[in-house]
Amino acid sequence: MEYTKDFKERDELLNQLVERGLEVPDPQAALQFLTRVGYFLSGAYRYVLRELLPPEQINPKLRQFRSDRYVVGASFGHVVQLEAFDFKLARVCLEGLLDFEVRVRAAIAHTLAARDISAHTRVDCLDERMCSRPAKNGTKFEAWMKTCDDAITAAAEDEDFIAHHLLKYPEQPVPIWALTEALSFGKLPFLFELMKTEDAREVARSFGFEHPRPFGAVLRMMVDLRNTCAHGSRLFNRAFKRSLSLRVHETKGDLLDHVVGEDFTTSPKPQQRVYIYAAVLAFMLRSHTAGTNWRMTFKTQAKKLDITLHAPDGMLLVSRERNMGFPAGWEQLELWGSS
């Protein structure tokens, strides 16, 4: 296969950006940035600085909305500033997600263990209807048991608590509290989906959700957010693949009422932006009995986005409201308060 794009050295790529209208006041610093981040990833932050195509040239099928030219005043410094902000925001989100993951593991393990130490291996301790549903190879329960076996086999190589159990109690299933520690975060939603409704509801309510269905959907979204943060992908201007649609009365109190519907922000695809994901994470952590101040850390970092660059229509080109799904006046909402 012959590619239509040629390889270019970093200095060539930088010269190309200058030719397209991007100001580069410090070429050496710009080259160092491209060496660290890469030209391709830097494009995620340069994209919003490019001019919009005339309506007749836009091609939604090919996702072509912007020209190669940069708006007047756009600088490589803006790219560096955006990436630094985004990197720190991802670290903050990861901190909250790690805390949430630990709490979810504990809640699921405790709830199932109260029913049976090996509840995760017994259909009668789970939702029998859900367990019998077809999966790719067999039933959902059979697929789940393979997930358990794979997790235990992998953990036995470097986790003494798993190896100890397998050696001392070879005929007994690994207890649920040990299994949840061996499972990856991404596998927890599958176990939650198989739990009896009353057990799933107990877990959901410990994080402020009245019903297990929306909480199960949120679990998968938190996995998506965690993977994005952990792999160094951008949060800024990202539309996640899963849309988070909440209804009134699905959560305890009214802290999340402001994100019900789609008109709470000027960002396109508001239910797929980082704000609603972070808002739900903040809500769940502060709803948990252990409490948290994570929301204040997130609020502090989010407020640091400060780039004054205007689009031809006079609107700010880069903002939390335009690119990240934040509602106007978000920092004054009770959700983000200190009490």
Side-chain angles (χ1 to χ4, degrees), residues 104 108 112 120 126-127 130-131 135-136 139-148 176 179-180 183-196 200 215-217 219-220 223-224 227 241-242:
V104 169
I108 291 176
L112 285 177
H120 58 289
L126 301 171
D127 185 324
M130 186 63 71
C131 286
K136 187 174 182 180
T139 65
K140 286 202 169 191
F141 180 73
E142 289 169 338
W144 162 244
M145 290 311 299
K146 184 178 186 309
T147 296
C148 289
I176 180 60
L179 175 76
T180 52
L183 289 172
S184 69
F185 186 30
K187 300 302 182 183
L188 290 179
F190 294 100
L191 175 55
F192 181 82
E193 182 184 44
L194 296 182
M195 293 173 68
K196 288 182 179 293
F215 181 74
L219 264 183
R220 286 179 167 79
V223 172
D224 292 344
N227 289 341
K241 64 180 180 180
R242 301 183 202 271

Side-chain angles (χ1 to χ4, degrees), residues 36-88:
R36 179 176 66 85
V37 173
Y39 183 82
F40 186 77
L41 180 57
S42 76
Y45 304 105
R46 288 185 282 105
Y47 181 78
V48 295
L49 306 179
R50 288 159 51 184
E51 295 178 351
L52 287 171
L53 286 169
E56 66 274 9
Q57 295 181 24
I58 290 177
N59 188 334
K61 289 186 178 180
L62 295 180
R63 304 254 180 128
Q64 292 178 338
F65 302 99
R66 295 178 183 268
S67 76
D68 291 334
R69 298 291 305 174
Y70 288 86
V71 300
V72 175
S75 168
F76 203 92
H78 294 135
V79 180
V80 175
Q81 188 177 347
L82 269 178
E83 189 275 337
F85 163 80
D86 205 37
F87 181 86
K88 292 178 181 177

